[in-house]
Amino acid sequence: MRDDIQIKEIRERYHEQWVVVEITKTDKHNNPKRGRVLFHGDSQNEVYRQGPKYRETHPNVKLYYFYAGNVIPEGIGVVLVQGKSHQWLL
């Protein structure tokens, strides 16, 4: 069986790849803490397509899909707003 490792280490080991992990441990808020890498690669579609196939033979497995890289490019700022639309004048 594949190694059970921390999500932080998975992010470092598979940097800038799409990853599907079988979750083996969560924190008190149910966030993934440890897992086994099942699939990884450069193509999101190819990697994500493998999860449902795996679930067919492992129906109770908890899977975590993510990109192990910088989602927001360096130098870009993000503002999250909840509620009615807002106008910003910069």
Side-chain angles (χ1 to χ4, degrees):
M1 175 127 321
R2 294 177 177 94
D3 292 339
D4 171 73
I5 58 177
Q6 291 183 12
I7 298 298
K8 179 181 177 181
E9 184 178 341
I10 293 170
R11 289 184 182 280
E12 293 169 0
R13 190 179 293 183
Y14 299 97
H15 185 67
E16 295 187 357
Q17 292 186 40
W18 294 96
V19 185
V20 178
V21 172
E22 177 182 354
I23 300 168
T24 58
K25 184 176 181 182
T26 59
D27 65 13
K28 65 181 180 180
H29 302 290
N30 211 31
N31 297 311
K33 293 300 288 177
R34 297 184 68 85
R36 292 182 190 88
V37 175
L38 301 175
F39 311 104
H40 64 92
D42 295 329
S43 168
Q44 179 185 16
N45 288 337
E46 291 299 317
V47 173
Y48 279 27
R49 202 178 342 248
Q50 299 302 316
K53 291 179 186 177
Y54 184 79
R55 194 181 298 279
E56 288 175 10
T57 55
H58 302 83
N60 296 321
V61 71
K62 293 181 184 178
L63 299 180
Y64 179 36
Y65 298 71
F66 64 96
Y67 180 69
N70 296 328
V71 178
I72 302 168
E74 191 172 323
I76 300 294
V78 176
V79 176
L80 302 175
V81 179
Q82 182 178 0
K84 297 181 181 182
S85 63
H86 294 79
Q87 286 186 339
W88 297 86
L89 299 174
L90 301 175

